[in-house]
């Protein structure tokens, strides 16, 4: 193993920053929309829009209408055209549209904002499949848990930063439009950095040392640079372990995006918090998530690499923590009375923070099952999962006829808890952690027959 900070670490940092900015571009509207419909809550000098709860729910979910469309094509394109080009184009266009959001809102109101968010979703739909494609080429097996967590932790870091900054910007002289200008500008800057320093694989990077390239490629144990593999559609879709990931990912997204898109509304209308304090407290759970994910990744890799637990046992344990932990917290939150602000914030923080376990569960399990097709698999699971991201805010909008009513919020929390439970249960029943036979370009083996990984014999169990 090469000493020091290598090119693989540079790629991890850049992907971390990509997901940081990507989630900032996603969640900026969650805080901004509070100010956009109530100018007295922040800087009153900016335009106000008359959008009811149903309209706001449609706006918040519209991002995912486009997002689900590009998931599966992105998994295929990332392998054929290169994940670097795909992510750079997606982020640049999404960032440019973010800069235009205030103008679009002024010209066309909710209809044009919805259309813009759909296109932004199309652009960001390429990011997660491309990230898995990049990780499958850059992350050695012994560092897979940590690298996967470090990169995807960018999502939480971006959420934290954007929620905090959004509250400050909304009350500043920049007003709510400043939220979009800052986040859009950050995306443009990242695209420039990625153009100069990003790379598709160790074999294509001219700066990497021979020792580091050999370490990565020998650890992966197969040629990941081939684009001639035929995608085994039927084998993947008939795989029980694949369905474990699809179900767990879908159930996670329902709960995660219900909380992410609706938490500022809950804090304003039920907990009576002003937007600046609202933004800070809304960011707290995602800061905890970020810290917990980093700790869990180190623990998981330590347990696996030192043979204390098999890879499969670790995946199931951390996935259960990540889905059933939030389930318990939301059940508790459902019975918190309106005056108990501290308890409500504590349970919300627990519900989101402990969700970090899913990074070491279903999230990295794509690469366990098939390094060669991990990007395509992420496209499938993320497509299915983000259908839940569309439905969840719409269900909340249907249930919440009065956003100040704690009883109606109780129903929202019950629904999310039940879905979290089902996702954790199905993963524990169906999940595997060995490389599946359809990872290789062969049709002579059974669909779920494992392929031995000589570097990690524990992965067979």
């Amino acid at each position: 193993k090469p000493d020091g900070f290598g090119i693989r670490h540079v790629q991890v940092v850049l992907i971390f920053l990509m997901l940081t900015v990507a989630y900032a571009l996603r969640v900026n509207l969650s805080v901004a929309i509070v100010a956009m419909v109530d100018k007295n809550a922040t800087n009153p000098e900016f335009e106000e829009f008359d959008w009811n709860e149903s309209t706001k729910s449609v706006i918040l979910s519209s991002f995912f209408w486009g997002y689900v469309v590009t998931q599966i094509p992105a998994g295929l394109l990332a392998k054929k055209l290169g994940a670097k080009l795909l992510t750079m184009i997606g982020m640049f266009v999404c960032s440019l549209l973010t800069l235009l959001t205030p103008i679009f809102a002024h010209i066309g109101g909710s209809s044009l904002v919805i259309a813009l968010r759909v296109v932004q979703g199309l652009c960001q739909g390429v990011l997660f499949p491309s990230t898995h494609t990049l990780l499958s080429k850059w992350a050695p097996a012994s560092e897979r848990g940590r690298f996967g967590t470090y990169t995807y932790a960018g999502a939480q870091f971006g959420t934290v930063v954007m929620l905090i900054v959004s509250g400050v910007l909304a009350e500043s002289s920049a007003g709510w439009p400043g939220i979009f200008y800052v986040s859009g500008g950050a995306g443009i800057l990242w695209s420039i950095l990625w153009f100069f320093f990003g790379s598709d694989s160790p074999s294509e990077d001219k700066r990497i040392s021979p020792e580091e390239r050999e370490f990565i490629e020998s650890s992966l144990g197969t040629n990941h640079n081939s684009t001639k593999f035929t995608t085994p559609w039927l084998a993947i879709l008939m795989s029980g372990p694949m369905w474990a990931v699809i179900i767990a990912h879908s159930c996670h997204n329902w709960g995660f995006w219900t909380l992410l898109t609706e938490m500022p509304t809950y804090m304003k209308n039920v907990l009576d918090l002003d937007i600046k304090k609202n933004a800070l407290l809304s960011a707290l759970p995602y800061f905890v998530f970020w810290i917990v994910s980093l700790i869990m990744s180190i623990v998981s890799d330590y347990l696996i690499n030192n043979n204390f637990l098999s890879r499969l046992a670790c995946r199931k344990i951390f996935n259960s923590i990540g889905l059933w932990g939030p389930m318990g917290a939301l059940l508790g939150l459902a019975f918190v009375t309106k005056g108990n602000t501290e308890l409500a914030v504590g349970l919300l923080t627990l519900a989101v923070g402990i969700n970090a376990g899913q990074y070491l569960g279903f999230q990295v399990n794509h690469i366990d099952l098939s390094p060669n097709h991990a990007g395509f698999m992420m496209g499938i699971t993320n497509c299915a999962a983000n259908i839940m991201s569309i439905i969840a805010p719409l269900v909340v909008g249907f249930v919440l006829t009065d956003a100040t009513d704690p009883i109606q919020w109780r129903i929202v929390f019950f629904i999310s808890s039940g879905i979290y439970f089902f996702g954790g249960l199905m993963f524990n029943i169906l999940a595997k952690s060995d490389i599946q036979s359809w990872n290789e370009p062969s049709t002579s083996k059974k669909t779920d027959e494992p392929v031995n990984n000589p570097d990690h014999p524990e992965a067979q169990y």
Side-chain angles (χ1 to χ4, degrees), residues 120-315:
Q120 286 184 306
L122 288 168
C123 294
Q124 283 211 25
V126 307
L127 300 186
F128 269 38
S130 296
T131 296
H132 257 48
T133 298
L134 290 165
L135 287 174
S136 72
K137 296 177 181 181
W138 280 104
S142 60
E143 298 174 335
R144 184 177 296 157
R146 274 169 290 169
F147 279 14
T149 301
Y150 294 163
T151 55
Y152 282 106
Q156 313 316 319
F157 187 71
T159 300
V160 170
V161 171
M162 197 68 248
L163 289 175
I164 293 174
V165 171
S166 293
V168 175
L169 287 172
E171 291 195 336
S172 72
S173 59
W176 61 260
I179 296 173
F180 300 104
Y181 298 147
V182 169
S183 55
I188 299 294
L189 177 60
W190 179 87
S191 300
I192 296 170
L193 288 173
W194 183 240
F195 175 78
F196 287 107
F197 300 107
S199 186
D200 278 310
S201 68
S203 64
E204 296 178 28
D205 195 296
K206 297 179 181 179
R207 298 159 298 173
I208 192 171
S209 68
E211 294 79 13
E212 186 179 13
R213 180 185 290 118
E214 173 63 22
F215 168 64
I216 296 170
E217 293 180 347
S218 64
S219 173
L220 297 175
T222 187
N223 178 15
H224 291 272
N225 300 310
S226 173
T227 58
K228 298 180 181 179
F229 285 1
T230 300
T231 302
W233 288 77
L234 184 60
I236 291 175
L237 293 175
M238 293 293 289
S239 170
M242 178 63 175
W243 276 101
V245 177
I246 291 173
I247 293 170
H249 198 163
S250 298
C251 294
H252 155 75
N253 264 39
W254 181 289
F256 182 84
W257 283 101
T258 295
L259 288 171
L260 185 57
T261 58
E262 303 297 338
M263 194 183 302
T265 301
Y266 174 77
M267 288 188 169
K268 178 179 183 292
N269 293 304
V270 176
L271 303 183
D272 296 323
L273 297 171
D274 63 73
I275 190 166
K276 189 171 183 179
K277 188 176 290 184
N278 180 338
L280 289 169
L281 291 177
S282 292
L284 176 62
Y286 300 97
F287 176 74
V288 173
F289 187 124
W290 180 55
I291 297 298
V292 171
S293 69
L294 299 179
I295 296 171
M296 283 186 173
S297 69
I298 295 171
V299 172
S300 175
D301 275 357
Y302 178 82
L303 292 173
I304 293 171
N305 293 335
N306 290 278
N307 295 318
F308 289 112
L309 287 174
S310 70
R311 191 178 304 276
L312 179 59
C314 263
R315 297 292 183 250

Side-chain angles (χ1 to χ4, degrees), residues 82-100:
K84 176 181 177 178
L85 177 63
L86 209 57
T87 52
M88 185 171 62
I89 293 173
M91 277 292 289
F92 182 82
V93 175
C94 184
S95 302
L96 187 62
L97 291 174
T98 299
L99 293 172
L100 296 174

